[in-house]
């Protein structure tokens, strides 16, 4: 750090001492090294090693077994279901996020804070509860159970249940990213556009969205990551039908419980690669946006 | 420009549409299902509620879930702070890489974290073997739960402290230094106090996340009732037994307890902020 | 004016279309709702049956499996899991589906030979290498300091067979004294730190999580561990007496009639009784019914004295006395009762 000892002619009498030794603007070298090592050790143990062990275990039986585990029909079905779920859930929650952020940040109305708290609810509720509430609603013994059975509609123990449970769990992600940013941006640009004759949709499309572009993408990225990786909520509503209602995380559990450890880690490694891709994209987004996007809220 | 009515008439259109979409979506996906759960719990009757409330197994599960989550969040507060400090204040090779890796627990599916941590800390694992050599069993004990919860809460403290640290006005430090304060004194009297609210926010977020965590814990926990069984697992077991009443009662208890704790922490935080005149 | 939701629709339509297309192309599918330890067996069995069906009928059939504790599975099916066939751990669970949900007739068990149980099994002990706690028989399980792993009778079929085998032993050594048997069972559960949902869960708890000294397990599950999963790390101990477990199978009438899969479902179950099916059962450590298959695998099965469910008055009676709400299991679990 820069030494800020003031010039000699401006200081008081004991300035000699001060010029001789620099101001304590940073910790001692030893302290710094120690802290860095502590931080790195902590991260090594808790972040790096788990990452490495996933791939080490996946490849334990060789690359052939690794490949075989990934093209095995049940694994493929799980991958397809996971991607399908993400494909449905992410756009819906993104649309919701934009609508909610628009309503909350462009207008004033009573109960706004309550609304924000409600949107945050799925974030603070255990995912198991997130799955359970839909079993209570749509299970055969649930509120709509008899109605659904009468019409032959399956929600719980079938794919729609998995989609809805994932929708619940990932609901806040996009909204949470957009709201603080749009609050900071205010309404001036939109009002200007409207004064100039743009319609509401045009304003949204041409003025607002470009302004929130990076936060939106970031929120979509987080939403996607969580949708792919959700376990607790989906475990509760899934029918445990291997090859049909198993997402990738559930398939990992099934393989693990059938002593097929290398195969379980193989599927897990695929999920890990997706997570790492998410992190890489996030870093790229932050670089493009110029500022750390995530710094406003988590 | 503003009309002082209950609903501020704005020149911006779309209020009805967006609020309508927001409320119906939120209502359908979050509010109504949660309400159904509360009604079902209420339906169970007071007798069932009290029975669950006083059941030794349920109480033990709450002790495990909340107690270990608290400890994990505390550990994350300490080490997360150090990590944030080191990343913001110092420069070292690999700093950028480390910074981008912090979000890994946030992006990694919990089931993957679960089996990875179990493999690491089991008796034959890379970290479990040395620990076993000194007599510590990590996997399938509450220590395993602690490790898993530290993992999932790791990014929260780092990411809430980092921006505050980045925005921190170095001139305050410099002024204090010029006035003759030692480094330790500067750190504890000038730098840390404004960071405390952010630290508490991070702690709260990590705590809340750890309480409800399921996927990464059930693989590494022993799941022994009364000893290493977490509340979400207890809920799942009740569901598997089709004891919906018991499951909803426990879930409600969990939400109420979380709410009270988070409220307490938020109040503490507000008090801390006020004390600093901030 | 461009519709901002145009892009969203653009994604959704191909996704939905591909779903529809794959549904239309769906050849026959069957869902087999089974109990916990049969995963590997049915994985191979399903492939064999699919090959047979293709060869004989030229049709492709895809068979999906669901595995969890037998009791939990029965409830799932009663509450809407659309299983074409159920292959559960004990007759009562299928009876429950018939009674509770009316999905199949009450006389389902007579429709297939051997009480609709194409293979049998029994209950044995799995111990760690060297048998450090010297477990030889049921009475060793109730000693102080012995950790037992057994699943939860409320959800698992295997757990209920375990419970009844222990009960039967206790009655025998106490001269049919029910109070002493009750005490025996209470001490047994007191030594059990955790009750998993299903038999496979219990096996994992014992073998992976290193919990307990002895696992009370299906014979086929124990042999799977010692022969394939972790040979050398565990040993099978056969008690002096055990119970004849007859896991039954059945077609779920209402479901197959609605889905039009009756023919293939019935052929699927019949295949269990065929020479190939029996051979597969033996390969996966079940005791085949057919003499020829049994001969082939004779040396892996220990001959022991087996009680039958009839000694307990049949499953309906046994379930009512032991496992329903406030039955013997519940009574033992109450705090204070376990002294």
């Amino acid at each position: 750090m820069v030494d800020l000892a003031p010039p000699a002619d401006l200081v008081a009498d004991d300035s000699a001492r001060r010029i001789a030794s620099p101001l304590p603007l940073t910790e001692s070298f030893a302290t710094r090294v120690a802290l860095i090592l502590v931080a790195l050790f902590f991260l090594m143990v808790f972040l790096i090693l788990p990452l490495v062990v996933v791939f080490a275990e996946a490849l334990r039986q060789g690359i052939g077994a690794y490949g075989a585990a990934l093209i095995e029909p049940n694994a493929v079905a799980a991958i397809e279901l996971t991607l399908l779920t993400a494909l449905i859930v992410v756009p819906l929650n993104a649309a919701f996020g934009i609508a909610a952020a628009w309503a909350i940040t462009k207008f004033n109305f009573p109960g706004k804070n309550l609304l924000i708290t409600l949107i945050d609810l799925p974030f603070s509720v255990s995912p198991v509860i997130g799955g359970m509430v839909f079993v209570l609603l749509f299970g055969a013994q649930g509120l709509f159970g008899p109605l659904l059975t009468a019409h032959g509609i399956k929600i719980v123990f079938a794919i729609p249940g998995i989609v809805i449970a994932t929708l619940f769990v990932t609901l806040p992600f996009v909204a949470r990213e957009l709201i603080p940013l749009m609050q900071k941006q205010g309404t001036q640009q939109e009002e200007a556009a409207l004064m100039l004759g743009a319609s509401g949709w045009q304003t949204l499309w041409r003025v607002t969205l470009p302004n929130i572009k990076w936060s939106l993408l970031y929120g979509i990225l987080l939403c996607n990551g969580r949708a792919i990786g959700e376990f607790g909520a989906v475990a509760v509503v899934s029918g445990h039908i291997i090859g049909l209602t198993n997402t990738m995380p559930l398939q990992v559990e099934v393989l693990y419980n059938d002593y097929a450890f290398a195969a379980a880690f193989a599927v897990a490694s695929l999920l890990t690669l997706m997570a790492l891709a998410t992190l890489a994209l996030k870093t790229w987004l932050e670089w493009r946006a110029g500022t750390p996007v995530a710094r406003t809220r988590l | 420009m503003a009309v002082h009515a209950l609903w501020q008439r704005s020149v911006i259109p779309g209020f009805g549409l967006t609020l309508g979409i927001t409320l119906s979506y939120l209502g359908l996906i979050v509010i109504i299902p949660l309400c159904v759960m509360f009604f079902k719990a209420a339906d169970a009757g007071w007798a069932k509620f009290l029975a669950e409330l006083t059941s030794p197994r349920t109480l033990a599960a709450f002790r495990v879930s909340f107690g270990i989550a608290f400890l994990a969040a505390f550990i994350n507060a300490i080490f997360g702070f150090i990590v944030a400090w080191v990343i913001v204040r110092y420069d070292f090779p690999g700093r950028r890489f480390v910074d981008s890796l912090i979000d890994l627990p946030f992006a990694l599916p919990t089931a993957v974290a679960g089996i990875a941590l179990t493999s690491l800390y089991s008796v034959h694992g890379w970290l479990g073997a040395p620990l076993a050599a000194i007599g510590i069993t990590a996997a399938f004990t509450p220590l395993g739960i602690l490790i898993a919860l530290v993992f999932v809460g790791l990014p929260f403290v780092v990411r809430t402290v980092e921006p505050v640290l980045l925005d921190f006005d170095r001139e305050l430090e410099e002024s204090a230094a010029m006035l003759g304060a030692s480094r330790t004194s500067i750190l504890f009297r000038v730098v840390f106090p404004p960071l405390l609210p952010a630290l508490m926010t991070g702690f709260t977020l990590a705590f809340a996340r750890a309480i409800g965590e399921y996927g990464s814990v059930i693989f590494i926990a022993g799941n022994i009732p009364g000893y290493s069984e977490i509340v979400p697992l207890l809920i799942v077991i009740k569901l598997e037994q089709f004891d919906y009443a018991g499951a909803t009662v426990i879930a409600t208890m969990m939400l109420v307890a979380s709410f009270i704790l988070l409220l307490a922490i938020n109040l503490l935080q507000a008090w801390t902020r006020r004390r600093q005149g901030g | 004016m461009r519709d901002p939701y145009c892009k969203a629709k653009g994604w959704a339509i191909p996704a939905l279309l591909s779903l529809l297309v794959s549904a239309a192309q769906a050849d026959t599918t069957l869902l087999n709702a089974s109990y916990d330890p049969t995963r590997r067996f049915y994985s191979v069995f399903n492939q064999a049956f699919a090959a047979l069906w293709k060869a004989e009928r030229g049709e492709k059939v895809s068979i999906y499996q669901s595995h969890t504790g037998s009791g939990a599975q029965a409830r799932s099916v009663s509450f809407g899991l659309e299983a074409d066939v159920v292959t559960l751990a004990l007759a009562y669970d299928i009876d429950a589906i018939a009674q509770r949900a009316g999905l199949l007739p009450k006389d389902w068990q007579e429709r297939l030979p051997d009480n609709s149980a194409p293979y049998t099994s029994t209950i044995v002990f799995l111990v760690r290498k060297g048998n450090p706690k010297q477990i030889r028989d049921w009475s060793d399980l109730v000693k102080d300091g012995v950790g037992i792993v057994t699943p939860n009778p409320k959800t698992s079929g295997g757990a209920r067979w375990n419970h009844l085998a222990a009960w039967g032993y206790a009655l025998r050594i106490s001269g049919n004294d029910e109070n002493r048997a009750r005490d025996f069972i209470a001490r047994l559960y007191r030594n059990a730190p955790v009750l998993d949902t299903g038999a496979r869960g219990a096996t994992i708890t014992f073998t992976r999580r290193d919990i307990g000294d002895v696992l009370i397990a299906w014979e086929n599950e124990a042999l799977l561990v010692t022969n394939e999963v972790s040979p050398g790390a565990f040993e099978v101990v056969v008690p002096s007496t055990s119970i004849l477990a007859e896991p039954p199978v059945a077609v779920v009438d209402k479901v197959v009639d609605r889905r039009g899969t009756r023919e293939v479902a019935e052929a699927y179950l019949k295949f269990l009784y065929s020479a190939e099916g029996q051979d597969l059962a033996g390969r996966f450590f079940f005791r085949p019914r057919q003499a020829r298959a049994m001969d082939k695998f004779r040396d892996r099965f220990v001959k022991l004295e087996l009680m039958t469910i009839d000694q307990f008055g049949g499953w309906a009676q046994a379930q009512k006395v032991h496992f329903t709400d406030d039955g013997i299991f519940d009574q033992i679990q109450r705090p204070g009762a376990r002294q």
Side-chain angles (χ1 to χ4, degrees):
Chain A
M1 291 304 302
V2 175
D3 189 315
L4 281 185
D9 48 301
L10 287 179
V11 302
D13 280 11
D14 56 352
S15 63
R17 178 170 61 83
R18 297 243 178 106
I19 297 171
S21 59
L23 288 174
L25 288 169
T26 184
E27 297 70 55
S28 72
F29 181 72
T31 315
R32 274 183 283 149
V33 168
L35 284 179
I36 292 177
L37 286 177
V38 164
L40 285 182
F41 180 72
F42 180 72
L43 293 176
M44 174 75 152
V45 165
F46 280 96
L47 286 188
I48 312 279
L49 280 182
L51 257 187
V52 176
V53 84
V54 169
F55 291 101
E57 291 281 352
L59 295 167
R60 183 181 278 248
Q61 288 175 357
I63 195 107
Y66 181 80
L70 289 179
I71 59 175
E72 196 257 321
N74 289 331
V76 172
I79 296 172
E80 284 176 356
L81 180 59
T82 299
L83 293 178
L84 177 70
T85 308
L87 210 63
I88 298 178
V89 163
V90 172
L92 282 175
N93 278 335
F96 165 76
I98 296 174
W102 183 272
I104 288 176
T105 60
K106 305 296 177 197
F107 308 103
N108 262 333
F109 53 91
K112 204 172 6 170
N113 277 323
L114 179 64
L115 188 57
I116 297 181
T117 311
L118 286 177
I119 292 179
D120 266 351
L121 259 181
F123 210 64
S124 43
V125 156
S126 174
V128 162
I129 298 182
M132 183 183 82
V133 292
F134 293 105
V135 172
L136 292 177
L137 260 186
F138 301 120
Q141 250 200 344
L143 196 62
F144 294 115
L147 185 68
L148 293 171
T149 324
H151 287 93
I153 304 177
K154 287 179 297 175
I155 297 193
V156 175
F157 300 149
I159 293 174
I162 293 179
V163 171
I164 294 184
T166 312
L167 216 54
F168 178 97
V169 170
T170 55
L171 187 138
F173 282 88
V174 177
R176 282 173 68 103
E177 290 304 317
L178 292 181
I179 289 176
L181 181 67
M182 285 169 76
Q183 267 172 343
K184 230 196 300 189
Q185 286 174 346
T187 57
Q188 286 184 352
Q189 291 201 22
E190 282 78 16
E191 284 169 1
L194 288 160
M195 302 283 203
L196 290 172
S199 74
W201 289 118
Q202 279 176 330
T203 313
L204 174 70
W205 194 245
R206 301 267 191 87
V207 178
T208 316
L209 283 184
N211 274 340
I212 59 174
K213 179 162 55 175
W214 300 117
S215 280
L216 180 61
L217 281 174
Y218 188 72
I220 288 179
L221 197 63
L222 291 181
C223 183
N224 183 55
R226 183 66 188 264
I228 288 179
E230 179 51 39
F231 180 74
V234 178
V236 171
V237 299
S238 150
H240 304 295
I241 304 175
I242 306 171
L244 201 61
T245 62
N246 266 352
T247 58
M248 282 170 79
L250 289 181
Q251 182 66 6
V252 167
E253 190 198 20
V254 164
L255 287 167
Y256 194 78
N257 282 345
D258 201 24
Y259 315 120
F261 299 120
F265 277 101
V267 180
S269 72
L270 206 56
L271 285 167
T272 309
L273 287 172
M274 291 181 188
L276 290 174
T278 302
L279 287 184
L281 271 171
K282 174 193 95 78
T283 313
W284 177 78
L285 273 178
E286 287 181 350
W287 171 73
R288 276 306 301 268
T291 60
V293 182
R295 305 302 194 225
T296 46
R297 286 184 67 175
L298 195 59
Chain B
M1 177 154 54
V3 173
H4 298 290
L6 196 61
W7 262 269
Q8 184 174 353
R9 294 262 162 78
S10 172
V11 70
I12 300 180
F15 179 66
L17 179 68
T18 53
L19 192 65
I21 292 178
T22 306
L23 288 178
S24 19
Y25 194 80
L26 199 60
L28 276 174
I29 309 239
V30 177
I31 312 294
I32 295 183
L34 280 176
C35 286
V36 169
M37 186 193 81
F38 286 126
F39 281 134
K40 194 92 183 188
D43 216 21
W46 276 117
K48 179 85 179 175
F49 231 97
L50 282 174
E52 282 298 349
L53 206 61
T54 53
S55 149
R57 183 178 186 181
T58 310
L59 289 176
F62 272 88
R63 272 199 303 272
V64 169
S65 268
F66 282 75
I68 300 185
F70 193 87
L71 193 55
F74 191 72
I75 293 177
N76 270 327
I78 297 177
F79 285 92
F81 184 83
I82 295 179
V83 169
W85 183 266
V86 156
I87 287 181
V88 172
R89 287 285 178 118
Y90 304 156
D91 202 359
F92 52 89
R95 184 178 68 102
R96 282 261 182 79
F97 173 71
V98 161
D99 190 29
S100 52
L101 210 55
I102 299 280
D103 283 330
L104 180 69
F106 212 57
L108 194 69
T110 53
V112 175
I115 61 175
L117 290 172
T118 310
S119 181
L120 261 184
Y121 289 97
S122 74
V123 178
H124 308 293
W126 295 350
L127 291 174
L131 282 175
I134 57 175
I136 302 180
T137 332
F140 316 125
T141 64
L143 179 58
I145 302 180
L146 181 66
I147 293 170
L149 293 183
V150 169
F151 177 86
V152 297
L154 196 147
F156 290 95
V157 174
V158 179
R159 291 308 191 210
T160 34
V161 170
E162 259 182 352
V164 185
L165 209 48
L166 273 169
D167 282 343
F168 191 79
D169 193 353
R170 301 303 292 267
E171 288 191 3
L172 287 171
E173 282 181 70
E174 290 156 13
S175 316
M178 288 203 277
L179 289 171
S182 70
R183 188 63 193 161
T184 326
S185 192
I186 297 177
L187 283 176
F188 281 102
R189 262 115 149 290
V190 178
V191 182
F192 285 170
L195 295 175
L196 199 56
L199 195 59
M200 291 181 72
T201 305
F203 173 88
T204 309
L205 290 171
F207 183 45
R209 171 67 191 262
I211 292 175
E213 182 57 27
Y214 177 72
S216 42
V217 177
I218 55 165
F219 292 95
I220 198 172
N223 301 330
I224 299 179
Y227 181 61
S228 54
E229 186 179 54
I230 54 171
V231 176
L233 178 59
L234 188 55
I235 296 177
V236 169
I237 289 177
K238 296 268 176 190
L239 283 175
E240 280 175 349
Q241 293 177 337
F242 291 79
D243 178 8
Y244 288 168
T248 48
V249 164
I250 296 179
T252 308
M253 280 167 67
M254 185 184 194
L255 288 177
V256 169
S258 308
F259 181 73
I260 293 178
L261 271 158
L262 295 177
L263 192 63
I265 297 177
N266 275 335
L267 288 175
L268 186 62
Q269 201 179 354
W271 177 78
T272 315
R273 220 183 254 124
R274 256 203 312 275
R275 267 204 63 190
Q276 287 166 13
Chain C
M1 181 178 44
R2 285 181 58 208
D3 176 359
Y5 290 103
C6 186
K7 273 221 179 106
K9 287 189 208 136
W11 285 341
I13 290 183
L16 285 172
L17 268 180
S18 62
L19 241 178
L20 286 171
V21 167
S22 58
Q25 278 176 349
D27 319 281
T28 328
T29 66
L30 278 186
L31 173 58
N32 174 356
S34 187
Y35 60 114
D36 226 6
T38 56
R39 294 160 204 246
R40 288 194 187 187
F41 169 60
Y42 277 114
S43 186
V44 177
F45 179 85
N46 292 347
Q47 276 174 359
F49 177 74
L52 179 81
W53 192 252
K54 185 89 199 264
E56 279 184 11
R57 302 298 184 99
E59 246 176 48
K60 178 161 174 275
V61 60
S62 303
I63 305 164
Y64 292 108
Q65 290 290 134
S66 172
H67 292 274
T68 182
S70 181
Q73 195 70 279
R75 279 194 208 91
S76 290
V77 173
S78 306
F79 292 155
L81 182 67
E82 241 189 12
D84 300 273
V85 301
V86 285
T87 57
L88 299 181
L90 46 101
Y92 177 80
D93 286 335
I94 305 188
D95 279 334
I97 302 177
Q99 271 166 20
R100 218 186 278 142
L103 294 174
L104 67 168
K106 300 224 169 80
D107 62 351
W108 61 271
Q109 201 163 15
E110 293 151 33
R111 300 195 291 190
L112 285 170
D114 289 320
N115 287 333
S116 282
Y119 53 77
T120 68
S121 191
T122 184
I123 302 300
V124 299
F125 307 148
L126 191 68
V127 299
R128 303 194 188 277
K129 181 167 74 172
N131 199 355
K133 292 280 177 92
Q134 297 296 307
I135 310 277
R136 303 262 178 259
D137 204 356
W138 292 100
S139 42
D140 295 317
L141 298 183
V142 298
K143 291 200 184 119
D144 279 334
V146 172
I148 301 175
V149 179
T150 179
N152 185 348
K154 294 284 194 177
T155 47
S156 163
R160 279 172 279 166
W161 289 113
N162 294 355
H163 176 118
L164 289 177
W167 181 266
Y169 172 84
L171 280 180
R172 152 117 40 112
I173 59 160
S174 67
N176 262 344
D177 182 348
E178 228 196 63
N179 282 326
R180 299 221 350 234
R182 216 177 259 261
D183 178 63
F184 183 86
I185 283 279
R187 281 159 51 205
L188 189 85
Y189 281 111
R190 199 168 11 116
N191 278 350
V194 55
L195 302 176
D196 288 89
T197 309
R200 176 53 60 87
T203 311
I204 301 249
T205 294
F206 180 72
T207 58
R208 286 285 295 172
R209 299 205 173 101
D210 289 334
I211 292 176
D213 304 296
V214 53
L215 171 73
I216 313 179
W218 288 99
E219 180 183 49
N220 59 279
E221 187 75 342
L223 289 175
L224 184 70
V225 170
T226 55
N227 279 287
E228 285 184 17
V229 178
S230 310
F234 301 97
E235 298 171 9
V236 174
V237 170
V238 180
S240 61
T241 176
S242 190
I243 193 165
L244 177 70
E246 298 179 301
V249 303
V251 163
V252 183
D253 294 59
K254 281 253 173 72
V255 174
V256 296
D257 287 333
R258 183 167 59 225
R259 298 187 70 232
T261 50
R262 180 178 279 275
E263 207 188 345
V264 62
E266 285 177 354
Y268 179 77
L269 292 184
K270 273 225 180 60
F271 189 57
L272 283 165
Y273 291 90
S274 70
E276 197 180 344
Q278 292 283 298
D279 189 77
L280 275 174
R283 263 215 287 154
F284 283 92
F285 311 106
F286 298 97
R287 297 185 178 217
R289 291 283 201 188
Q290 254 188 26
R292 194 161 14 128
M294 190 56 180
D295 270 332
K296 187 168 164 200
F297 297 102
R298 187 163 292 284
D299 52 354
R300 58 171 56 170
F301 300 120
V302 174
K303 219 170 168 49
L304 74 165
E305 196 187 330
L306 294 172
M307 31 181 148
T308 68
I309 191 65
D310 299 319
Q311 285 163 250
F312 301 93
W315 262 114
Q317 177 71 4
Q319 181 84 13
K320 189 161 79 151
V321 168
H322 289 266
F323 306 115
T324 46
D325 286 340
D326 250 10
I328 291 184
F329 176 73
D330 274 344
Q331 291 167 24
I332 302 172
Q333 298 290 309
R334 264 189 236 121
R338 296 166 77 169
Q339 294 306 322

